[in-house]
Amino acid sequence: MIPVDDSALVRFLDADGTFAPSPAAEPYREAVERIGDADLETFYRDMAVIRAFDVQATNLQRQGQLALWPPSYGQEAAQVGSARAARAQDHLFPSYREHVVTKIRGVDPIDIIRVMRGLTHGGWDPTDPKNGNTHIYTLVLGSQTLHATGLGMGLVFDGRCGTGDLDRDEAVIVYYGDGASSQGDVHEAMVFANSYRTPEVFFLQNNQWAISVPVATQSRSPLHKRGEGYGMPSTLIDGNDVLASWAVTRTALDEARAGGGPQAIEAMTYRLGAHTTSDDPTKYRTSDEEESWRRRDPIARMKAFLIGKGASDAFFADVEAESQALADDVRTRTNALGGLERDDMFAHVYSEQHPLVGEQRQWLADYEASFEGGAS
Amino acid sequence: MPFSRAINAGLRAALAGSDRVLLMGEDIGKLGGVFRVTEGLQAEFGEQRVLDTPLAESGLVGTAIGLAMAGFRPVVEIQFDGFVFPAFDQITTQLAKLTNRHEGALQMPVVIRIPYGGHIGAVEHHQESPEAYFTHTAGLRVVSPSTPNDGYWMIQDAIASPDPVIFLEPKSKYWQKGEVDTSARALPLHASRIVRRGTDITLVGHGAMVTTMLQAAALAEAEGTSIEVVDLRSLSPVDYGPILDSVRRTGRMVYAQEAPGFTSLGSEVAATVMERAFYALEAPVLRVSGFDVPFPPAKLEGAYLPDADRILEAVDRSLAY
């Protein structure tokens, strides 16, 4: 792992939950101190509930109900802080692990399940207002950074940012990981973003491992320094501190939406689980390392902080009940998910009718109908 | 009007017709593109409608996708055929599939213009025939005009399409002149066209090869052979109607293309014609292609590219059955 420069790191909560802003956190301190208790509890609730969902989904995969599951276990603070920092009009481009980001924006978690169960390659409609401008998952690493940048260019061309109205001006946040940071598309996205001054935040979750390859193989210099090379302000945060994630992302998005151009954030975090349910982390990393990060668990940290502030037992009991309810609901609805219609594979290949696709759909229908009893 | 000016006029009409149309590419603004296809358009429509972009093909196509998501209709210029491959991932894994992955909720009205093919004596990676890579990918439409009139209308139709269109421009034809009827389009975007009537054999091809096929037909006529020539125009989907009608009349067919023959467009069209018009055929469908080698250095392109004589050799073989 690359040594973290503590003088650059924005952190508000120590691993034990003590409120102890780092020197780099001072510019954000006032904003954080203005966060009301209800919002602080929401941050905790978001993280705890999604962890229950994530554990349930992992179990469902182990039981053969899902083809694959990419756990978000351990990365909840980076995701919750950044997603809660976005305003309603902002556009979000996840990669494929941002389960709580999508949930916060309104996407039904069962839509993620549908992707991983093999029922769709998309799962939700980003143009449907109930999904909060959240784009679908992208499994090809880094591709979505260019889509986010192109959308940001469109916002610039249409004058939908930089007017000075923070409640109306739009911004874009795109999520990617330390492995994806090696992809050429991320480089090209940063070049285009700066050329066209897109209102955009590049949100890198450095979870230390690209499947089995450590971040040191992706980069010999701290990844947040790359942003500066493209001419954009870049900030390093403790990704396991939801307050740091919220404060820095809020500021970066607002500066971007106000016309300040793109910004970069590196959230130093750790995936406590596997990359996906297909790999076995014990083959490539030590239990000592995992344990050292477990002691920095973002949820435990926030819980200790809230207890220190006087949060009630009833609150934690309520969060626990909601977590269990979501996990149960997801299990029930996963088991109830139906199959696909044969024609679904031919639908939406093109927006306008394409004769080859049409002929093949008809051929398959006729073929199935030729058997006794017709199509099953 | 020269072919390049006809496309320019078509782009101008599309830009004037909707302020959601954007042109993007390397050197397409002040310079007007290395082939001058976009000449004058930035001066007329401004730097936010005709964008000189950073030099990054994947970035070009990837940001065009994002612009389409924001409601624009981007027209991307790839400078040369051999330079499209850095953008191949964004074209095939993203652009082609995003409408499908969104279950129809998003349309991807992006046009990728690619000058393609040989005959200009260029250097490495400046003349290739990549059409089969794109026709093999579901979700893309692929077209190639061969005349100025088609250049003028097909680029407008491609921009109007809600689907992604790979727009292959036969670069050796940029300076070829022809009539352009700006008052009415002759054919829909995805129609093939019989460009010369004949009775003995059907020649089918696309792009620059249409001119070569017409040369072959003129030479054959002097020897008493009547050749019908079909311009495919749309490479995906293929409009088989006029081709099958023609083959049913002549009983013979040769497909001519610059691209290597193995798993090529000509292979696909030949196989389909044999499936659908087998009993009308007097001879197997033959293909005249580039060789299955990398496009050679320019001094050898004359030996690589099919010419009228190679087409006529295939015609003779077909007639000998």
Side-chain angles (χ1 to χ4, degrees):
Chain A
M1 158 179 180
I2 300 166
V4 174
D5 176 3
D6 271 339
S7 69
L9 186 75
V10 176
R11 173 192 288 146
F12 286 95
L13 298 181
D14 272 348
D16 65 2
T18 307
F19 189 78
S22 64
E26 283 302 328
Y28 306 96
R29 181 174 186 148
E30 193 186 331
V32 166
E33 288 178 342
R34 280 206 309 270
I35 303 174
D37 286 349
D39 286 339
L40 292 173
E41 290 187 352
T42 297
F43 291 170
Y44 175 81
R45 184 184 296 269
D46 287 337
M47 293 193 290
V49 168
I50 211 66
R51 182 168 288 186
F53 164 76
D54 186 71
V55 169
Q56 179 70 287
T58 302
N59 292 341
L60 285 165
Q61 197 283 330
R62 295 293 182 223
Q63 292 158 11
Q65 294 295 320
L66 305 180
L68 187 75
W69 187 253
S72 58
Y73 200 110
Q75 296 181 223
E76 294 89 350
Q79 296 187 12
V80 166
S82 57
R84 285 287 173 198
R87 297 178 189 261
Q89 70 272 25
D90 291 343
H91 306 263
L92 288 78
F93 285 78
S95 48
Y96 51 77
R97 201 189 294 283
E98 284 70 35
H99 312 320
V100 69
V101 172
T102 62
K103 182 174 183 297
I104 286 170
R105 299 297 287 193
V107 176
D108 186 339
I110 202 72
D111 285 339
I112 305 173
I113 295 286
R114 291 171 59 234
V115 178
M116 300 300 165
R117 192 172 164 86
L119 292 169
T120 178
H121 291 319
W124 61 90
D125 175 2
T127 66
D128 185 333
K130 77 178 168 61
N131 293 322
N133 302 324
T134 309
H135 284 259
I136 59 173
Y137 278 7
T138 296
L139 303 192
V140 180
L141 290 184
S143 293
Q144 77 280 7
T145 59
L146 281 169
H147 307 163
T149 301
L151 191 134
M153 289 166 64
L155 297 178
V156 172
F157 297 162
D158 280 339
R160 289 157 66 184
C161 58
T163 72
D165 182 350
L166 289 181
D167 291 330
R168 202 187 67 193
D169 283 344
E170 299 168 47
V172 184
I173 180 167
V174 60
Y175 293 88
Y176 63 108
D178 45 301
S181 72
S182 294
Q183 289 282 350
D185 275 0
V186 175
H187 164 75
E188 296 190 19
M190 289 186 165
V191 170
F192 273 73
N194 276 281
S195 295
Y196 297 98
R197 306 297 289 160
T198 54
E200 182 176 5
V201 171
F202 289 87
F203 194 92
L204 163 61
Q205 289 171 85
N206 178 354
N207 70 13
Q208 313 302 325
W209 292 91
I211 306 187
S212 66
V213 179
V215 64
T217 305
Q218 314 295 336
S219 179
R220 284 287 170 186
S221 66
L223 287 164
H224 64 95
K225 293 198 170 179
R226 288 191 184 172
E228 292 161 12
Y230 296 93
M232 64 179 116
S234 305
T235 310
L236 174 67
I237 66 171
D238 184 331
N240 285 8
D241 174 0
V242 69
L243 302 182
S245 178
W246 179 85
V248 172
T249 310
R250 184 74 162 190
T251 303
L253 277 169
D254 281 351
E255 287 177 0
R257 95 180 65 249
Q263 317 264 328
I265 296 170
E266 179 188 3
M268 196 62 70
T269 183
Y270 194 80
R271 64 166 161 80
L272 285 165
H275 163 69
T276 71
T277 42
S278 290
D279 71 313
D280 174 4
T282 65
K283 288 191 183 302
Y284 54 82
R285 64 190 191 190
T286 65
S287 55
D288 283 353
E289 178 186 309
E290 289 184 23
E291 191 48 42
S292 76
W293 280 93
R294 208 174 291 282
R295 288 195 293 272
R296 288 177 262 178
D297 186 299
I299 297 181
R301 182 185 305 198
M302 190 62 177
K303 185 173 187 176
F305 172 65
L306 289 177
I307 289 171
K309 284 180 70 73
S312 68
D313 290 345
F315 164 71
F316 292 109
D318 188 56
V319 170
E320 176 60 29
E322 182 179 335
S323 302
Q324 191 60 49
L326 176 65
D328 291 347
D329 177 60
V330 164
R331 171 167 289 273
T332 302
R333 289 201 288 157
T334 299
N335 290 328
L337 282 171
L340 292 170
E341 296 296 320
R342 184 184 56 227
D343 269 4
D344 288 347
M345 79 173 128
F346 299 107
H348 313 306
V349 181
Y350 296 90
S351 292
E352 282 190 338
Q353 198 267 340
H354 187 286
L356 181 65
V357 176
E359 285 165 19
Q360 291 178 358
R361 170 166 40 201
Q362 189 58 49
W363 181 89
L364 183 57
D366 293 345
Y367 173 75
E368 296 283 355
S370 71
F371 296 105
E372 193 177 353
S376 57
Chain B
M1 181 188 296
F3 185 67
S4 61
R5 303 310 301 166
I7 299 172
N8 178 280
L11 290 169
R12 177 177 288 105
L15 284 162
S18 167
D19 62 8
R20 306 312 286 174
V21 175
L22 300 177
L23 309 191
M24 310 169 64
E26 297 153 11
D27 309 304
I28 68 165
K30 286 194 172 59
L31 181 67
V34 292
F35 291 106
R36 309 291 185 268
V37 174
T38 55
E39 194 162 51
L41 297 177
Q42 189 184 65
E44 193 172 337
F45 293 97
E47 293 183 1
Q48 252 184 39
R49 302 288 308 284
V50 181
L51 282 67
D52 272 325
T53 66
L55 205 167
E57 284 79 11
S58 189
L60 253 174
V61 176
T63 53
I65 288 169
L67 280 159
M69 290 171 169
F72 288 87
R73 303 183 88 85
V75 183
V76 173
E77 176 178 300
I78 300 291
Q79 207 158 57
F80 283 91
D81 34 34
F83 301 166
V84 72
F85 298 104
F88 196 66
D89 167 51
Q90 283 288 344
I91 293 173
T92 57
T93 72
Q94 303 299 323
L95 179 62
K97 297 186 171 72
L98 278 168
T99 293
N100 188 249
R101 287 174 53 211
H102 283 92
E103 297 168 345
L106 283 192
Q107 294 186 336
M108 279 289 124
V110 177
V111 177
I112 314 280
R113 294 180 39 238
I114 310 174
Y116 82 116
H119 303 284
I120 66 164
V123 294
E124 188 210 7
H125 284 129
H126 286 66
Q127 32 190 29
E128 297 185 359
S129 297
E131 52 266 43
Y133 294 111
F134 302 112
T135 58
H136 194 66
T137 300
L140 301 176
R141 295 174 182 274
V142 187
V143 302
S144 179
S146 67
T147 66
N149 197 54
D150 274 348
Y152 176 77
W153 285 110
M154 287 171 75
I155 189 63
Q156 294 180 70
D157 289 343
I159 293 167
S161 170
D163 291 314
V165 179
I166 307 296
F167 195 84
L168 297 166
E169 300 172 5
K171 66 172 88 82
S172 64
K173 299 296 147 194
Y174 277 140
W175 303 277
Q176 180 176 292
K177 292 183 179 174
E179 291 296 316
V180 175
D181 180 356
T182 57
S183 63
R185 69 171 52 68
L187 286 171
L189 184 61
H190 295 294
S192 58
R193 180 171 62 107
I194 295 174
V195 293
R196 186 190 200 276
R197 288 288 177 179
T199 55
D200 296 335
I201 186 167
T202 303
L203 288 184
V204 186
H206 60 273
M209 201 49 66
V210 175
T211 307
T212 312
M213 293 192 299
L214 290 170
Q215 289 167 355
L219 290 168
E221 189 174 32
E223 295 178 1
T225 301
S226 172
I227 290 180
E228 185 145 301
V229 176
V230 181
D231 179 359
L232 211 56
R233 297 176 79 250
S234 174
L235 283 49
S236 174
V238 172
D239 174 21
Y240 280 105
I243 300 169
L244 292 168
D245 287 349
S246 177
V247 170
R248 288 187 179 115
R249 285 195 305 274
T250 65
R252 298 171 201 276
M253 180 184 139
V254 171
Y255 198 98
Q257 61 191 353
E258 296 182 18
F262 188 76
T263 62
S264 61
L265 190 61
S267 310
E268 178 60 37
V269 174
T272 301
V273 167
M274 285 193 273
E275 281 181 357
R276 299 189 188 178
F278 184 72
Y279 290 109
L281 288 168
E282 302 288 339
V285 177
L286 300 177
R287 287 168 293 154
V288 182
S289 302
F291 299 105
D292 291 296
V293 300
F295 199 99
K299 296 300 182 193
L300 277 176
E301 72 168 328
Y304 172 86
L305 291 166
D307 59 8
D309 286 341
R310 288 223 323 247
I311 292 172
L312 289 172
E313 186 274 337
V315 166
D316 287 345
R317 272 194 287 140
S318 177
L319 290 170
Y321 274 89

